[in-house]
Amino acid sequence: PVTMFRLITRLRSGMASSPLITNCLVYGSMSGMAEFSQQTLIYKVFPKKGDEQKYSKASILRYTVLGGVVFSPALHFWYRWLDRIMPGTGLVVVAKKVGLDIGVFGVPYYTAFYVLLNIMAGDTMQGSLAELRQKLVPTMLTTAAFWVPAQVVNFRYVPARLRIVYMAGCTFVEFNILALFKKWDGRR
């Protein structure tokens, strides 16, 4: 309990003094933990026969870097811009923000997800784009079912200064979904 209190105190202090850096650390950590949990489920809890593997630390690191270095700063500035052009938490404003977030920001977000993870793993741009073409639409359709309600809560109830921390928690769930798509080979 004392350690959790210290963590929350440091998080609050960091959000006040260095929100971007704090957001990057939180979002990156949660992204890496999502990949760790995905590997735990796939390789340790529910392994296919003969598919028990060790943790891929490199993959966990790639998710951590993508979340902390790419997605967190992008979300930080995206939400600041959205709040500036559409201030407020009324239902019409929230609906517009959700629509823009999913419809406009979603395409580059998921493009970065597939392409950058592949490039960091040593894949070619051609291979990365092939996977993107195969998985972008199913990913966006599936994750929209998750993100619409999550973003309504985000834009309606979460204070702007805590938005990325909230998103880190949501991204933990979403990255588990995305990790399944990433590992999906396109066959049923």
Side-chain angles (χ1 to χ4, degrees):
V2 174
T3 306
M4 183 56 85
F5 178 75
R6 284 186 186 152
L7 181 63
I8 291 170
T9 302
R10 286 188 180 155
L11 182 61
R12 282 186 179 159
S13 173
M15 290 304 297
S17 62
S18 305
L20 179 59
I21 292 170
T22 304
N23 285 331
C24 289
L25 292 172
V26 170
Y27 201 94
S29 298
M30 293 295 283
S31 300
M33 286 191 293
E35 173 61 5
F36 177 81
S37 73
Q38 187 60 218
Q39 288 183 32
T40 299
L41 289 173
I42 291 173
Y43 301 130
K44 307 296 182 192
V45 178
F46 304 112
K48 293 179 182 173
K49 226 174 202 176
D51 196 25
E52 296 169 6
Q53 298 181 21
K54 292 182 180 179
Y55 287 102
S56 170
K57 294 174 189 164
S59 181
I60 295 167
L61 179 62
R62 287 190 292 272
Y63 275 80
T64 302
V65 168
L66 184 67
V69 177
V70 178
F71 287 159
S72 181
L75 288 167
H76 177 85
F77 292 108
W78 170 251
Y79 290 141
R80 283 180 53 178
W81 177 78
L82 267 183
D83 287 337
R84 192 175 71 244
I85 66 161
M86 284 185 255
T89 58
L91 291 179
V92 172
V93 170
V94 169
K96 288 178 182 179
K97 285 181 178 179
V98 170
L100 279 173
D101 192 64
I102 292 171
V104 174
F105 189 76
V107 173
Y109 178 89
Y110 293 117
T111 299
F113 175 82
Y114 286 115
V115 171
L116 293 177
L117 280 177
N118 283 336
I119 296 297
M120 286 190 285
D123 199 358
T124 65
M125 181 59 81
Q126 184 179 8
S128 301
L129 293 175
E131 182 180 35
L132 176 66
R133 280 189 294 278
Q134 176 190 18
K135 296 179 180 178
L136 181 63
V137 172
T139 298
M140 291 195 67
L141 293 174
T142 303
T143 59
F146 171 76
W147 279 119
V148 169
Q151 289 295 51
V152 168
V153 170
N154 186 21
F155 293 126
R156 179 109 171 136
Y157 302 108
V158 177
R161 73 186 194 303
L162 296 177
R163 214 163 258 157
I164 305 300
V165 173
Y166 168 80
M167 293 298 295
C170 291
T171 298
F172 177 84
V173 174
E174 184 208 22
F175 270 21
N176 273 284
I177 296 166
L178 289 174
L180 290 173
F181 270 106
K182 185 82 180 91
K183 292 167 178 64
W184 174 52
D185 63 5
R187 293 177 277 173
R188 293 201 180 261

